[in-house]
Amino acid sequence: MAKIKKGDLVQVITGPKDERGKQGKVLEILSERNRVVVEGVNYVTKHTRVGQTQRGTKTGGLETVEAPIHISNVALVDPSTKKPTKVGHRVEEQTKDGVKRTVRVRYAKKSGKDL
């Protein structure tokens, strides 16, 4: 089961000084390359070929887009303390429409900074 999913709030824990400590939402997971795209982090300038749309407007030029970073360089943010934390899984029983089901649920472990 994945520890980080699309839509999670994560914090960059390693990397360049200007990127370290930034928090953002996960936009995309590239699981085959073990990378994630985080909103507002790791902007790069991309050169795109100039073209035309159906209406005749020009497209292309220089664009700034978020580039993927390695999944080990980000940590999930605990929603209650707003600090990076580790993730655990536990098995819970949930009842829905009278049917019991065992489900694995993610939870934020207590971080060492709070002790």
Side-chain angles (χ1 to χ4, degrees), residues 3-109:
K3 295 187 185 228
I4 296 177
K5 296 182 177 181
K6 182 177 174 181
D8 285 344
L9 183 66
V10 295
Q11 180 172 339
V12 178
I13 54 176
T14 58
K17 284 189 176 182
D18 58 330
E19 299 291 330
R20 198 176 313 147
K22 285 187 179 179
Q23 291 185 358
K25 198 168 81 169
V26 175
L27 300 175
E28 187 179 1
I29 300 253
L30 307 169
S31 59
E32 62 279 351
R33 292 182 12 199
N34 291 329
R35 295 187 173 268
V36 292
V37 177
V38 181
E39 182 179 35
V41 176
N42 198 22
Y43 276 113
V44 294
T45 303
K46 188 175 182 181
H47 298 261
T48 56
R49 179 175 286 170
V50 175
Q52 282 188 336
T53 61
Q54 294 289 339
R55 295 183 176 169
T57 58
K58 298 256 184 200
T59 60
L62 294 175
E63 297 177 353
T64 54
V65 294
E66 290 107 349
I69 58 176
H70 200 268
I71 201 163
S72 66
N73 295 339
V74 296
L76 194 70
V77 173
D78 187 5
S80 60
T81 62
K82 301 293 184 202
K83 291 185 178 179
T85 184
K86 292 189 176 186
V87 181
H89 294 89
R90 64 174 165 244
V91 178
E92 292 182 354
E93 282 195 5
Q94 293 181 347
T95 306
K96 187 175 179 182
D97 299 329
V99 178
K100 281 189 178 180
R101 171 178 275 166
T102 57
V103 183
R104 289 183 68 189
V105 179
R106 291 188 311 164
Y107 71 97
K109 292 183 178 180

